Each structure stands twice: as structure tokens, then as C-alpha cells.
Amino acid sequence: MSLVGLAGCASEDSKYENLQGPVPDTYLTASSQGGTGRSPDNLRSKSSVSYHDAQGAATCENCIHYIPDKNDDGLGACSLVEGYIEPKAWCTIYAKHTE
């Protein structure tokens, strides 16, 4: 089961509790692949941006706000949204990253 599907009920399953909490220090003020610096005091909640499983090619991993995995756990972060971010998720502030 993906973390996206558990975004609203993570507290009910201790297996996913840490994955919904604060990101590791390496992500706290990291820059996204689009160059946006992450500001821990100005992050939006996942529910406020309708974070959910992607339904097409537009995914977090190809968004300008995405911060790719830095600790080999398969998850990243976002420069605008709190908590861990799954590469195959999507939200309303998605903006395609082009190199």
C-alpha cells in the first residue's frame, strides 16, 4: 500500500507513523530540482494541496518542487509541502520540471 493512500490515516497504522512525520535533517532546507529552497516554517499540509496517487504522467518526481530521495528510502520531500513525498504522487501545485 502506498503512503499516498495512507495520508489521512497514518496515525492509525504505526508502521507508517514515521513516514508521515518530519523529514530527516538532510531535507529540512534542501533545494528542489527546480531550485526552490525548502522553508520548514512555510510548508503546506498534504490535505490542502490534495496530495494523492498520480493518475498519469504528471508525478511528484517530475515536478519542479520535488526534492529527490537523499537517503535511499525511496521517498523524497517537497519544497512547498510537509512530510515525506512519494515520487509517484501528485498534488494541485504540481508544475512540470524540464531540464
Side-chain angles (χ1 to χ4, degrees):
M1 177 179 278
S2 77
L3 296 177
V4 177
L6 293 171
C9 61
S11 62
E12 296 172 16
D13 188 339
S14 61
K15 176 178 172 183
Y16 295 102
E17 188 172 309
N18 290 335
L19 298 178
Q20 296 301 318
V23 295
D25 289 347
T26 190
Y27 292 102
L28 290 180
T29 58
S31 291
S32 71
Q33 56 194 6
T36 307
R38 190 171 191 273
S39 175
D41 296 329
N42 295 311
L43 299 174
R44 300 177 190 186
S45 70
K46 288 180 180 175
S47 63
S48 74
V49 296
S50 300
Y51 179 82
H52 61 277
D53 286 324
Q55 301 299 312
T59 62
C60 292
E61 70 185 340
N62 60 37
C63 176
I64 63 171
H65 306 298
Y66 185 66
I67 301 168
D69 182 7
K70 293 183 174 294
N71 59 359
D72 297 323
D73 64 2
L75 302 169
C78 179
S79 62
L80 302 176
V81 179
E82 66 188 5
Y84 287 88
I85 300 295
E86 287 193 74
K88 301 294 184 190
W90 181 89
C91 79
T92 58
I93 57 174
Y94 170 83
K96 186 175 182 173
H97 176 257
T98 55
E99 293 185 38

